[in-house]
């Protein structure tokens, strides 16, 4: 079987051949497209380690079949920084020590970017905690994660206001 | 572009500074390479089939069906498994367990590997493993402590803590005017690091390269090499980043050995990554315990006796003790102590060390029992602990190397607002109608050190390279060890290149027992010191040096200069000393470890006090931990930012222990029914609020040259009991098992 899909992957148009209909987006990225930044923690939608943005919304890559994604825009952790410039969420994770081992971190960061874009949490810690609860961190870096998302959210809002002014 | 900005990365320059993580950039951009991220050319994928029964034997595997599946290349079963050179029942290293590597068709626990399937893709190998459709002859299983109690035994042998005692225990019981006799149970827990165990194995002749997470690189090399009849130095193990270990990644496991075997058999690289479900099998776990605690006090509320009996599970084929009663050994000044352990053989995988092994589960029971004893004595729980404060090590009378526990109690209590807490339970109800309770627990963790080696190389440009096969599994070794290294030569952090996580480097020892920073850090510091000693010799013996004739001992290093301490105008650059001596660089070596005589002179522990507030819905009995304040004294703190993270992580583990984690077995098959993140609960972000950490200053001149005690495990200790006690204080219910669930509080 051979199937081709077109993706916009981290801003780049790609034609991707799918060698097996069972391939998930996660295994496509990790095992076939040399993008292992997205992590596998459970492979069944229970941990959030594989969170990526699909058409701007956060999604568990382990739960999506690659073959169904023709035309989709995918952003992974590898596509977040612009060259040397970190995304504000990435910078805030370093500053607030929002991780220890770093294994859940790509998923946490993509989830935070998605959460901020959803616009429901703002910098309210309770809502951030709730909105980030689909991403398990076994190291227990939650305190730093919440602070990081709060700060990034604030900075991005301030930047947007500045840009609009 | 609207959503980017320059990195805000600040590095401190030496120990004591809250430097951000040196590996932070790699981790937030996704370029940090974990084991399973490697996909070498020509890779085969391996998937193992786990047993679905806990005891019996495999009677049939549909090998033909698996082999017929497109993309499947090999099926390895006990019938055709290539020979291993090492005996899987032997223990070649101190971290070896009897290993299940398809020796035969017997099944000793659910999840044991019973076949390995190789495929050109992960999808093919996964489906092949499913198609094996194993059939079994099953025997009755024993998965609960009571199932095999009759044959329980006292553990004996290397690495198995039998127990300890001092004083006259019977006299202690007799002297008590008030006493308690209570039993606590703790559930089996599985480490479940976010990164599941994984390995990528590649052979080149009789040389083996492994990408696999390891908490003890060089020991793991020896452990793996043993199975293949090659010397440990033929194994190159790369483990630059570990996605959490918690004790589970120091011991070679059967599936990893089988993947290496498959790579040798096929002469292709092989990748095996455990599924989440498989993390509830051959990778160790914290064994379930039942602990009986008998405490007594005299008329002055002084403890006359602590009698702590621990019963723990082990497998049918190997011995490991969750040494819960250890928690009672060094903490309170009881007239007499008995701490003992017994083991029960069950049809489970062999347990192993899991964050705070013994201390975590033992403290859970001890700290709740102390609360019960205080209640019987009509005394505030904190005051009761202070009344029984050990000024010297109970039993031996040895002084503590340092012990700021009193300060931990005081600072923690003040920050929490403990004063004025009503003695009786069910006294505090908020405006929201929720029952509020406050509880506390003491934390203690010993300060073991293993051994480590390191090398320092001073370069002509004034920068230095430091090397050791140390391990960063999230504690922050990449950063903290570099800080120590920089300090040893008086350099700034950015003048230091630090290499770790690779077995070809000097042996960095074990990341375990909360001793890695002290041990590997000690080795790095000594290596830097060795360079300085050599520089000093060159300079002070060279008439052309401004330092000529100065004693070596009064030299200090700062900013790339060697200076005379009493007259800093006499100084010379490292680089100039090297150049004049005709050397391009200078290398020093160092060893980290504890001198045996030091261990006999002082008792050495980290200490802490944890205060918890819970709110309980009076109708639904849902428990929320709303505040958790931990004050810890752990010697010198190298990096306050990372230390706070470690301690908070530990306290979250304590919350998890108290309220969430438990592996539940099906009593007929012996399988764990909740073997995934949907059923096996760990805290999520919404479970964590009001977390505060205080570190209490402590100078310890005896624990090791750097005064470091370690912070990796102590956060979990004390926290479990504090939460259990807070739940009692809120509800009036003493639940004597962990985790405490809604159903326990709903029960009349
Ligand atoms: S790997 Fe996708 S949610 Fe866990
Ligand atoms: S940082 Fe280790 S799992 Fe989150």
């Amino acid at each position: 079987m051979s199937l081709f899909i077109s993706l916009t992957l981290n801003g780049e148009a790609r034609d991707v051949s799918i060698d097996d209909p069972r391939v998930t987006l996660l295994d496509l990225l990790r095992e076939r497209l040399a993008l292992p930044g997205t992590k596998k923690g459970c492979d069944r939608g229970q941990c959030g380690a594989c969170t990526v943005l699909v058409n701007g919304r956060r999604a568990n890559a382990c739960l999506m079949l690659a073959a169904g994604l023709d035309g989709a825009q995918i952003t992974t952790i590898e596509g977040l920084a612009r060259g040397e410039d970190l995304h504000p969420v990435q910078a805030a994770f370093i500053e607030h020590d929002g991780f220890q081992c770093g294994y859940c971190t790509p998923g946490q960061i993509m989830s935070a970017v998605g959460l901020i874009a959803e616009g429901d949490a703002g910098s309210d810690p309770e809502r951030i905690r709730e909105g980030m609860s689909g991403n398990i961190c076994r190291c227990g870096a939650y305190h730093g994660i919440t602070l990081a998302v709060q700060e990034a959210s604030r900075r991005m809002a301030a930047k947007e206001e500045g840009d609009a002014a | 572009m609207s959503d980017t900005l320059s990195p805000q990365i600040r590095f401190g320059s030496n120990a004591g500074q809250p430097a951000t993580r040196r590996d932070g950039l790699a981790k937030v951009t996704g370029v940090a390479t974990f084991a399973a991220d490697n996909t070498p050319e020509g890779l085969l994928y391996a998937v193992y089939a786990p047993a679905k029964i806990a005891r019996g034997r495999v009677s049939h595997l549909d090998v033909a069906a698996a082999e017929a599946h497109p993309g499947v290349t090999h099926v390895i079963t006990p019938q055709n498994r290539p020979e291993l050179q090492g005996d899987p029942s032997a223990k070649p290293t101190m971290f070896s367990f009897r290993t299940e590597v398809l020796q035969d068709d017997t099944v000793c626990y659910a999840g044991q590997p019973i076949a390995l399937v190789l495929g050109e893709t992960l999808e093919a190998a996964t489906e092949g493993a499913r198609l094996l459709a194993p059939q079994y002859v099953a025997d009755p299983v024993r998965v609960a402590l009571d199932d095999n109690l009759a044959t329980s035994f006292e553990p004996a042998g290397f690495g198995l803590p039998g127990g300890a005692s001092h004083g006259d225990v019977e006299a202690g019981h007799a002297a008590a005017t008030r006493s308690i006799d209570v039993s606590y149970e703790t559930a089996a827990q599985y480490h479940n690091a976010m990164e599941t165990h994984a390995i990528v194995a590649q052979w080149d002749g009789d040389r083996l390269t492994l990408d696999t997470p390891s908490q003890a690189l060089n020991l793991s090399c020896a452990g793996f090499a043993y199975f293949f009849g090659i010397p440990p130095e033929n194994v190159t193990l790369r483990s630059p980043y570990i996605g959490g270990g918690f004790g589970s990644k120091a011991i070679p496991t059967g599936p990893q050995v089988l993947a290496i075997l498959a790579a040798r058999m096929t002469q292709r690289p092989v990748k095996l990554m455990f599924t989440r479900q498989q993390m509830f099998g051959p990778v160790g776990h914290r064994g379930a315990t039942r602990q009986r605690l008998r405490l007594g006090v005299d008329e002055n509320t002084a403890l006359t006796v602590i009698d702590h009996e621990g019963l723990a599970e082990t497998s049918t084929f190997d011995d490991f003790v969750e040494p819960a009663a250890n928690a009672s050994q060094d903490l309170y000044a009881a007239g007499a102590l008995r701490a003992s352990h017994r083991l029960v053989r069950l049809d489970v995988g062999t347990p192993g060390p899991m964050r705070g092994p013994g201390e975590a589960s033992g403290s859970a029971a001890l700290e709740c029992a102390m609360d019960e004893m205080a209640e019987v004595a009509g005394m505030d729980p904190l005051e009761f602990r202070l009344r029984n404060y050990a000024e010297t090590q109970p039993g031996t009378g040895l002084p503590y190397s340092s012990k700021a526990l009193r300060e931990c109690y005081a600072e923690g209590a003040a920050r929490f607002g403990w004063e004025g807490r009503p003695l009786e339970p069910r006294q505090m109800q908020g405006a929201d109608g929720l029952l509020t309770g406050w509880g506390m627990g003491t934390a203690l963790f010993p300060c073991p050190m293993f051994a480590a080696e390191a090398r320092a190389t001073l370069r002509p440009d004034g920068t230095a390279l430091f090397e050791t096969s140390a391990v960063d599994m999230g504690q922050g070794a990449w950063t903290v060890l570099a800080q120590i290294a920089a300090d040893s030569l008086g350099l700034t952090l950015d003048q230091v290149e630090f290499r770790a996580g690779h077995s070809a480097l000097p042996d960095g020892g074990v990341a375990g027992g909360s001793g890695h920073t002290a041990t590997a850090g000690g080795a790095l510091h000594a290596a830097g010191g060795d360079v300085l000693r050599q520089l000093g010799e060159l300079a002070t013996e060279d008439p052309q040096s401004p330092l000529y004739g100065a004693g070596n001992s009064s030299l200090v290093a700062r900013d790339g200069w060697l200076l005379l301490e009493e007259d800093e105008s006499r100084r010379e650059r490292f680089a100039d000393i090297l150049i004049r001596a005709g050397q391009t660089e200078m290398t020093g070596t160092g060893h980290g470890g504890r001198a045996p005589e030091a261990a006999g002179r002082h008792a050495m522990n980290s200490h802490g006090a944890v205060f918890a507030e819970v709110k309980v819905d009076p109708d639904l009995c849902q428990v929320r931990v709303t505040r958790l304040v931990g004050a810890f004294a752990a010697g010198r703190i190298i990096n306050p930012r990372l230390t706070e993270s470690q301690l908070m992580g530990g306290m979250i583990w304590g919350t998890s222990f108290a309220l969430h984690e438990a592996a539940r077995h099906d009593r007929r098959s012996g399988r764990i029914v909740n073997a995934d993140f949907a059923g096996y609960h760990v805290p999520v972000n919404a479970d964590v609020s009001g977390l505060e950490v205080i570190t209490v200053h402590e100078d310890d001149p005896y624990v090791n040259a750097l005064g470091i005690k370690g912070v990796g495990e102590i956060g979990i200790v004390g926290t479990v009991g504090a939460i259990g006690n807070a739940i009692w204080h809120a509800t009036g219910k003493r639940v004597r098992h962990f985790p405490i669930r809604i159903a326990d509080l709903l029960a009349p």
Side-chain angles (χ1 to χ4, degrees):
Chain A
M1 187 215 99
S2 179
L3 171 74
F4 284 88
I5 59 169
S6 302
L7 295 175
T8 307
L9 185 53
N10 293 331
E12 196 189 315
R14 302 269 299 254
D15 287 325
V16 177
S17 111
I18 308 287
D19 57 297
D20 188 320
R22 295 169 295 194
V23 174
T24 62
L25 173 58
L26 178 58
D27 290 327
L28 177 73
L29 294 168
R30 290 183 52 80
E31 307 298 335
R32 289 158 174 91
L33 299 181
L35 289 171
T38 306
K39 298 294 182 254
K40 184 183 285 188
C42 71
D43 215 16
R44 53 171 67 175
Q46 297 169 347
C47 77
C50 63
T51 307
V52 296
L53 300 183
V54 177
N55 300 324
R57 298 187 61 83
R58 44 192 178 150
N60 289 333
C62 69
L63 292 183
M64 309 190 100
L65 288 173
L69 288 169
D70 191 31
Q73 288 200 21
I74 315 279
T75 309
T76 73
I77 190 72
E78 290 95 339
L80 211 52
R82 306 289 156 93
E84 298 279 283
D85 290 339
L86 294 182
H87 187 283
V89 172
Q90 293 174 309
F93 264 68
I94 294 178
E95 186 59 32
H96 292 280
D97 212 31
F99 55 94
Q100 294 179 28
C101 76
Y103 194 81
C104 71
T105 312
Q108 300 279 0
I109 289 174
M110 297 314 292
S111 190
V113 172
L115 178 73
I116 292 169
E118 286 157 31
D120 298 330
S123 57
D124 176 48
E126 276 299 308
R127 289 178 162 213
I128 290 173
R129 284 196 273 269
E130 197 68 40
M132 291 297 293
S133 281
N135 293 81
I136 293 176
C137 175
R138 183 56 157 162
C139 295
Y142 296 126
H143 180 77
I145 291 170
T146 304
L147 291 178
V149 178
Q150 260 185 304
E151 178 174 325
S153 174
R154 258 191 246 112
R155 273 201 223 161
M156 287 167 71
K159 182 91 173 34
E160 234 164 68
E161 266 172 39
D163 285 353
Chain B
M1 149 189 17
S2 68
D3 56 356
T4 59
L5 86 178
S6 296
Q8 296 286 311
I9 306 164
R10 286 202 310 262
F11 290 140
S13 58
N14 57 356
Q17 297 299 316
T20 53
R21 290 177 194 263
R22 288 191 119 196
D23 50 343
L25 195 59
K27 284 179 175 173
V28 302
T29 53
V31 305
T33 312
F34 294 83
D37 298 347
N38 293 285
T39 305
E41 222 28 54
L43 187 66
L44 278 177
Y45 290 84
V47 171
Y48 76 86
K52 304 251 160 117
I53 62 162
R55 186 176 174 217
R57 59 181 201 85
V58 180
S59 57
H60 182 72
L61 290 169
D62 196 347
V63 174
E67 282 176 342
H69 187 72
V72 169
T73 60
H74 302 81
V75 177
I76 304 176
T77 71
Q79 271 70 49
N80 68 347
R81 191 205 71 186
E83 202 189 331
L84 286 166
Q85 280 63 51
D87 171 8
S89 295
K91 304 198 173 197
T93 76
M94 81 173 180
F95 283 152
S96 293
F97 280 67
R98 293 203 172 85
T99 313
E100 309 84 71
V101 281
L102 306 178
Q103 290 94 316
D104 53 40
D105 62 6
T106 57
V107 174
C108 298
Y109 62 95
Q112 179 185 323
I114 55 172
L116 188 79
V117 177
L118 304 179
E120 296 290 348
T121 64
L122 177 58
E123 291 73 18
T126 304
E127 182 64 6
R130 195 187 67 79
L131 287 167
L132 288 171
Q135 292 169 20
Y136 306 94
V137 178
D139 293 324
V141 298
R142 300 139 314 171
V143 288
L145 290 171
D146 285 322
D147 292 349
N148 201 12
L149 202 51
T151 65
S152 77
F153 60 101
E154 252 178 62
F158 175 73
L160 295 171
S165 67
H166 66 75
D168 185 335
V169 173
E170 296 318 320
H173 282 300
T177 56
R178 283 151 299 177
S179 57
I180 58 162
D181 179 352
V182 291
S183 221
Y184 277 82
E185 292 199 9
T186 64
Q189 303 174 345
Y190 284 76
H191 305 75
N192 277 299
M194 284 308 293
E195 178 203 30
T196 61
H197 285 53
I199 191 165
V200 177
Q202 311 184 56
W203 286 90
D204 179 7
D206 65 349
R207 305 194 72 87
L208 175 63
T209 301
L210 301 176
D211 293 292
T212 194
S214 170
Q215 293 179 234
L217 272 69
N218 300 71
L219 264 177
S220 292
C221 286
F224 287 124
Y226 168 77
F227 285 98
F228 299 95
I230 55 174
E233 54 277 15
N234 281 23
V235 182
T236 301
L237 195 156
R238 299 181 293 215
S239 187
Y241 304 105
I242 304 187
F246 313 117
S248 72
K249 287 175 178 164
I251 298 149
T253 68
Q256 289 169 304
V257 173
L258 291 171
I260 300 170
L261 184 64
R264 192 176 70 177
M265 181 181 103
T266 59
Q267 290 296 305
R268 287 173 67 176
V270 168
K271 167 153 46 172
L272 181 145
M273 185 182 197
F274 285 54
T275 66
R276 178 56 55 191
Q277 291 67 35
Q278 290 173 341
M279 293 298 285
F280 294 79
V283 295
H285 66 283
R286 192 197 300 283
T289 74
R290 177 180 299 154
Q291 303 170 51
R292 183 180 183 195
L293 271 142
R294 285 177 287 168
L295 307 184
V297 295
D298 63 18
E299 58 284 352
N300 298 318
T301 337
L303 282 164
T304 57
V305 64
I306 298 178
D307 198 350
H308 193 163
E309 296 168 59
L311 182 71
E313 68 181 33
T314 189
S315 68
T316 55
F317 53 96
D318 210 342
D319 296 349
F320 181 87
V321 189
E322 171 69 12
N326 280 5
S328 285
Q329 285 179 20
D330 255 10
L331 193 45
Y332 298 113
L337 167 93
R338 176 163 54 198
S340 65
H341 298 114
R342 288 185 79 75
L343 279 177
V344 176
R345 292 209 186 281
L346 299 180
D347 303 308
V348 299
T350 306
M354 178 163 156
R355 199 172 194 178
E359 285 78 12
S361 38
S363 155
L366 173 67
E367 290 306 310
C368 289
M370 286 293 285
D371 211 64
E372 295 204 51
M373 190 70 247
E375 183 195 349
V376 168
M379 198 174 204
D380 174 80
L382 173 54
E383 198 189 328
F384 178 54
R385 285 166 174 85
L386 285 167
R387 174 77 49 91
N388 289 285
Y389 195 87
E391 303 291 352
T392 57
Q393 186 181 41
T396 67
L398 280 180
Y400 290 102
S401 60
S402 63
K403 181 178 180 178
L405 176 57
R406 216 184 286 282
E407 292 79 358
C408 292
Y409 285 137
E411 290 193 32
R415 180 73 63 86
F416 184 84
W418 180 261
E419 207 178 288
R421 170 188 175 276
L423 272 189
E424 297 293 314
R426 283 187 88 96
Q427 299 300 304
M428 303 194 296
Q429 197 157 14
D432 47 13
L434 300 178
L435 301 170
T436 302
W438 291 353
M440 55 107 26
T442 312
L444 177 144
F445 198 82
C447 308
M449 290 180 78
F450 299 95
E453 312 299 328
R455 183 165 56 228
T457 306
L458 181 65
R459 293 158 164 166
D461 62 0
T463 66
L465 168 67
F466 282 85
E467 300 168 291
T468 181
S469 68
V471 177
D472 196 330
M473 50 181 174
Q475 19 32 321
W478 277 120
T479 312
V480 171
L481 293 180
Q483 287 178 276
I484 294 171
D487 272 0
S488 74
L489 284 177
L491 299 175
T492 59
L493 200 45
D494 54 13
Q495 291 172 309
V496 164
E497 184 189 343
F498 178 45
R499 292 192 194 142
H502 193 294
S503 64
L505 301 171
D507 187 351
V510 180
S514 298
H516 198 40
T517 304
T519 313
L524 288 160
H525 202 265
D530 190 33
V531 167
L532 286 186
R533 182 188 55 76
Q534 297 175 57
L535 280 176
E537 276 172 19
L538 282 179
T540 57
E541 288 164 16
D542 180 349
Q544 291 178 48
S545 168
L547 295 168
Y548 177 64
N552 202 0
S553 59
S554 56
L555 296 175
V556 292
R558 196 187 312 135
D559 302 331
W561 295 81
L562 205 57
L563 316 94
L564 193 60
E565 201 169 13
E566 53 268 30
D567 175 9
E568 294 199 353
S569 68
R570 286 181 65 189
R571 59 177 196 167
E572 188 166 30
R573 275 186 199 283
F574 294 169
D576 294 335
I577 300 173
L578 282 183
I579 289 165
R580 230 191 10 263
Q583 298 191 14
T584 49
E585 55 181 37
M586 178 171 282
T587 299
T589 57
H591 171 79
R594 179 172 290 138
E597 60 279 10
R601 284 197 290 263
H602 291 92
M604 303 175 189
N605 300 301
S606 297
H607 296 91
V610 181
F611 297 82
E613 175 183 88
V614 301
K615 293 198 191 260
V616 183
D617 185 300
D619 302 314
L620 304 176
C621 293
Q622 189 192 38
V623 179
R624 307 290 296 172
V625 178
T626 46
R627 288 194 297 136
L628 208 49
V629 176
F632 300 95
R636 186 195 296 276
I637 300 301
I638 302 298
N639 186 318
R641 180 192 310 257
L642 273 48
T643 294
E644 183 187 79
S645 292
Q646 275 274 282
L647 291 168
M648 283 186 170
M651 289 163 71
I652 291 171
W653 270 59
T655 307
S656 195
F657 194 126
L659 299 177
H660 298 268
E661 279 182 60
R664 306 285 188 202
H665 291 269
D666 172 45
R667 299 301 304 272
R668 288 160 305 170
S669 69
R671 281 168 71 183
I672 295 172
V673 294
N674 60 339
D676 60 27
F677 276 140
Y680 185 87
H681 291 176
V682 298
V684 296
N685 203 325
D687 293 312
V688 176
S689 60
L691 201 54
E692 263 189 87
V693 160
I694 302 164
T695 46
V696 172
H697 181 85
E698 210 171 50
D699 280 319
D700 193 322
Y702 306 111
V703 66
N704 49 55
L706 300 174
I708 296 170
K709 287 181 167 180
V711 292
E713 290 162 280
I714 192 167
I716 182 172
V717 188
T719 304
V720 190
I723 293 173
N725 294 336
I727 290 174
W728 168 79
H729 193 238
T731 64
K733 280 219 169 83
R734 278 286 174 203
V735 180
R736 295 196 181 88
H737 61 242
F738 292 103
I740 299 174
R741 292 274 169 80
I742 289 175
D744 303 315
L745 299 172
L746 279 172

